[in-house]
Amino acid sequence: MTQTIPSVQLGSTGPRVGRIGLGAMGMSGMYGPASEVESVATVHAALDSGANLIDTGDFYGMGHNEMLIGRAIAERPRDEVVLSVKFGAMRGPDGAFVGTDGRPAAVRNFLSYSLQRLGVDHIDVYRLARLDPNVPIEDTIGAIAELVQAGYVRHIGLSEVGPDTIRRAAAVHPIVDLQIEYSLISRGIEDAIAPTCRELGIGITAYGVLSRGLLSDSVRPGTTFAPTDFRAHSPRFQGENLDRNMRLVDALGEIARARGVSVAQLAIAWVLTRGADIVPILGARTTARWAETVGALDITLTAAELAAIEAAVPADQVAGERYASAQMAMLDSER
């Protein structure tokens, strides 16, 4: 394997991973159709570049994503891949999200299916996708800890939870990372969540770094999305909200052009400056997008450029919540 990107340790107790990781959700229809051939090629390109952290969820495409990743890594040495898997989100046959199940018995059940679909004997980082309001986090983490003892899981992570839940989980078992949205226009973790993670030696795997494509060249004012596309239901991509947000992106684009880089690369580079304990997870679906992503690692931003970037995209000027109201209500991190 040709190593082209540096690696960092995930939290104080986790594995070493590439400085950026690959998020696979978009390969299973969340942003419209995706080519399986190109998706597999993108996984291989990420691994070849040194990005060994591959993030999936058992509910992405109702199992499709795990099977796809399983096929993509089947011929690779198992120790070349750090598999991060989210579980617990329940979906109906129409694709609707209908709740979260963090009961200990459900944890063991979800894991069994994930191991089968991925074709592996262990998951590297296992995490509940959303806090189950009916199950104490101690019970869920305790169940995963038993799976760690049994050898089916290597490390435990968290997803979209707030400081109190982070502390309660860490009191049960070491937590290697918190997966949570973080970008120029989603900066809610900065006040309390990131400091809590740093206090406890917990890394952050940041998703939504490009804000579902908003911080890129793929969305323009008036863009419409298919009903199956996540963005068709995201407030930030609707009507006047989209127009207002695009004005922020255009301001960022002026800085990107002056540097000779893409808006997406500039947005990734900004997140990379926020600390070595933050590992961006990028949802590339093509090898070309992955190559663009890797290019962000070569960008060094000066203090003046960072100030200009943050002035161009003030967090308090972003229009619309990051999820629809029903999904926002499920986020412990937003309470």
Side-chain angles (χ1 to χ4, degrees):
M1 181 176 69
T2 301
Q3 184 83 19
T4 60
I5 68 174
S7 66
V8 294
Q9 184 174 4
L10 192 59
S12 61
T13 61
R16 290 200 70 81
V17 298
R19 190 66 185 85
I20 54 176
L22 176 66
M25 183 179 76
M27 298 176 182
S28 293
M30 289 295 284
Y31 300 116
S35 161
E36 176 159 336
V37 171
E38 187 64 24
S39 294
V40 170
T42 303
V43 173
H44 291 168
L47 293 173
D48 289 341
S49 71
N52 58 337
L53 180 62
I54 308 294
D55 182 75
T56 182
D58 62 12
F59 50 94
Y60 292 170
M62 281 76 87
H64 172 273
N65 202 246
E66 288 183 319
M67 291 187 287
L68 171 66
I69 297 303
R71 290 189 289 273
I73 67 173
E75 296 181 6
R76 297 293 180 117
R78 180 64 184 88
D79 62 3
E80 276 191 12
V81 186
V82 176
L83 285 172
S84 166
V85 178
K86 292 182 291 296
F87 72 91
M90 299 185 295
R91 303 184 71 174
D94 61 351
F97 287 91
V98 295
T100 301
D101 194 344
R103 295 171 302 139
V107 173
R108 293 186 284 272
N109 178 75
F110 285 128
L111 178 75
S112 300
Y113 282 87
S114 287
L115 293 173
Q116 180 68 26
R117 286 189 289 255
L118 287 161
V120 297
D121 63 3
H122 71 275
I123 303 299
D124 297 290
V125 187
Y126 203 47
R127 72 185 80 243
L128 183 65
R130 296 290 186 269
L131 184 67
D132 184 342
N134 300 310
V135 179
I137 190 63
E138 291 86 351
D139 292 358
T140 303
I141 297 299
I144 306 175
E146 291 177 359
L147 296 168
V148 172
Q149 295 249 326
Y152 295 116
V153 173
R154 294 289 187 264
H155 305 280
I156 302 178
L158 295 170
S159 175
E160 286 289 356
V161 292
D164 180 63
T165 302
I166 294 168
R167 292 185 185 282
R168 290 169 55 194
V172 176
H173 189 278
I175 303 298
V176 297
D177 73 317
L178 168 67
Q179 188 172 116
I180 194 164
E181 186 166 358
Y182 185 51
S183 72
L184 266 169
I185 65 173
S186 292
R187 300 177 62 177
I189 73 169
E190 293 178 347
D191 291 337
I193 291 176
T196 300
C197 287
R198 285 170 172 152
E199 175 191 337
L200 298 173
I202 297 171
I204 293 172
T205 41
Y207 74 89
V209 171
L210 301 183
S211 301
R212 320 287 184 176
L214 187 60
L215 294 171
S216 73
D217 60 3
S218 63
V219 178
R220 299 307 306 161
T223 298
T224 58
F225 305 97
T228 55
D229 190 314
F230 169 90
R231 294 167 292 188
H233 313 283
S234 172
R236 287 182 177 170
F237 291 86
Q238 308 307 311
E240 177 59 25
N241 283 353
L242 178 59
D243 292 340
R244 287 174 57 189
N245 291 333
M246 288 309 308
R247 288 194 283 273
L248 302 180
V249 176
D250 288 343
L252 188 64
E254 293 181 11
I255 301 171
R257 283 189 292 276
R259 279 297 306 264
V261 301
S262 69
V263 169
Q265 287 175 322
L266 197 63
I268 296 167
W270 179 85
V271 171
L272 287 167
T273 69
R274 310 312 283 180
D277 57 340
I278 298 179
V279 176
I281 303 294
L282 281 306
R285 294 190 291 171
T286 66
T287 55
R289 284 298 190 192
W290 182 254
E292 178 186 6
T293 296
V294 172
L297 290 163
D298 295 327
I299 301 171
T300 300
L301 297 172
T302 66
E305 287 172 326
L306 287 169
I309 289 168
E310 291 168 20
V313 189
D316 61 0
Q317 295 299 307
V318 177
E321 300 283 4
R322 55 195 182 103
Y323 286 101
S325 58
Q327 290 178 296
M328 286 294 291
M330 297 172 64
L331 298 178
D332 182 68
S333 56
E334 293 288 340
R335 293 177 189 145

